[in-house]
Amino acid sequence: MTLLNRGLAELCGWLLIVVVLFMVVDLVARGFSRPLYGVSELAMFTMIAIVYLGLSHAEEQDAHIRVEWLPERLQGIAGRCLNGFVTLVSLATIVIVGWAVWHNAIGAFDSRQAIAGPRPILVYPIKFVMFAALVLYGLQLCRSLSRQFRRAAHDE
């Protein structure tokens, strides 16, 4: 899982470079009155993929943004219980969101949902990427929870 997380984090970096390059090319093309169709939509989809695919790596590295006021003040078992509770709530939230994204992706696939234009851009592929990334994030949350329980058992 660590190798997968690192690979996805690396992919996110490369995707960000691609988005910037496409936006620069589109900006230059607009200067010549020849804008590229779909660049902003593809950039939006790519940014969504970058955010979702980076969740699992951020969880593994404990790099999510959080309010540290209470956890810094709690020591010992109380601090570990709070961390475990927050991880459980996060996992429950991701399960609910993942379920909703799955059903939304299936609906988009069945209806061939697309962004209208001279050449329609299908929406469902990014929704399936979102679902897959949420599954990976959920698995990483399970790993984090397991690690927290092992630490708590080891400390006692």
Side-chain angles (χ1 to χ4, degrees):
M1 183 100 178
T2 297
L3 189 60
L4 180 61
N5 285 340
R6 284 183 190 154
L8 289 174
E10 183 80 18
L11 175 65
C12 289
W14 287 106
L15 287 174
L16 192 56
I17 290 170
V18 169
V19 167
V20 169
L21 290 175
F22 273 127
M23 296 300 282
V24 167
V25 168
D26 184 47
L27 183 66
V28 171
R30 285 178 189 271
F32 293 105
S33 298
R34 301 232 187 254
L36 302 176
Y37 168 72
V39 169
S40 60
E41 290 85 356
L42 291 176
M44 176 184 60
F45 287 166
T46 306
M47 291 304 294
I48 291 168
I50 289 169
V51 168
Y52 276 82
L53 291 174
L55 288 172
S56 184
H57 181 70
E59 175 62 30
E60 183 178 45
Q61 298 299 312
D62 198 27
H64 286 297
I65 296 171
R66 66 183 87 216
V67 176
E68 296 288 335
W69 182 80
L70 186 58
E72 285 178 354
R73 283 159 178 69
L74 294 177
Q75 301 294 322
I77 190 81
R80 287 192 302 271
C81 285
L82 178 64
N83 283 336
F85 176 73
V86 168
T87 304
L88 275 173
V89 169
S90 299
L91 183 58
T93 303
I94 292 306
V95 167
I96 292 167
V97 170
W99 179 80
V101 168
W102 173 255
H103 284 285
N104 191 278
I106 292 296
F109 177 77
D110 289 342
S111 67
R112 297 290 189 248
Q113 183 181 6
I115 295 175
R119 191 156 191 222
I121 300 173
L122 294 173
V123 174
Y124 72 84
I126 191 62
K127 292 184 180 190
F128 282 112
V129 168
M130 290 167 57
F131 174 73
L134 287 170
V135 168
L136 289 174
Y137 182 39
L139 290 173
Q140 184 59 50
L141 284 168
C142 289
R143 285 182 70 201
S144 297
L145 198 57
S146 171
R147 190 177 316 122
Q148 290 169 7
F149 281 135
R150 280 195 310 260
R151 264 193 227 132
H154 184 271
D155 290 345
E156 291 176 4

